[in-house]
Amino acid sequence: MSLVIAAAILCVLGAIALAHAYWATGGVWPARDGASLARAVIGDGRARMPPPVACLLAAAAVAVAAVWPMLLVATATTAPPRAVIVGVGAAIAVVFLLRGVAGYLPAWRRRFATEPFAMRDITLFSPLCFIIAAGYGALLLPGVVK
């Protein structure tokens, strides 16, 4: 079961990382232009996407979070010590949990109120962050998932 959870996180976050890398190259899918893409995925009222380097940094961070569950379920000894793998995994889980909570806070709702992001954040992005945090939690807690 642990491998299934790790693979699911890898697939979901891998796709998100690829989207960020694609946006870094100037791609606008699933929108029709940069302004509508910014409204859909950022939601803070900006008229264009962040610079390519910011999108690449986001892609790299999400890619690390995508691969990390595979380290958590690895049975062979890996380059980093096990304590580092677990510690970083716990930190990633907390980041996703906090991002999920943030999506429902009034200050966040005011700051990221542009549609369609605002509705997608409540119905998709924040819940997905909770699910990813729960997946990490299941992989981190001994005996929860075998």
Side-chain angles (χ1 to χ4, degrees), residues 82-98:
R82 186 74 186 155
V84 171
I85 292 170
V86 171
V88 171
I92 293 169
V94 168
V95 167
F96 277 103
L97 178 63
L98 292 175

Side-chain angles (χ1 to χ4, degrees), residues 20 23 30-31 33-51 54-55 58 99 108-121 125:
H20 282 79
W23 296 332
D33 56 44
S36 59
L37 180 61
R39 286 190 302 275
V41 299
I42 300 173
D44 67 353
R46 69 180 67 206
R48 61 186 172 158
M49 288 294 285
C55 292
R99 170 54 184 89
W108 182 277
R109 301 283 3 113
R110 285 188 300 275
R111 172 84 170 91
F112 299 98
T114 304
E115 293 296 350
F117 176 85
M119 184 56 67
R120 289 178 182 162
D121 192 30
F125 304 147

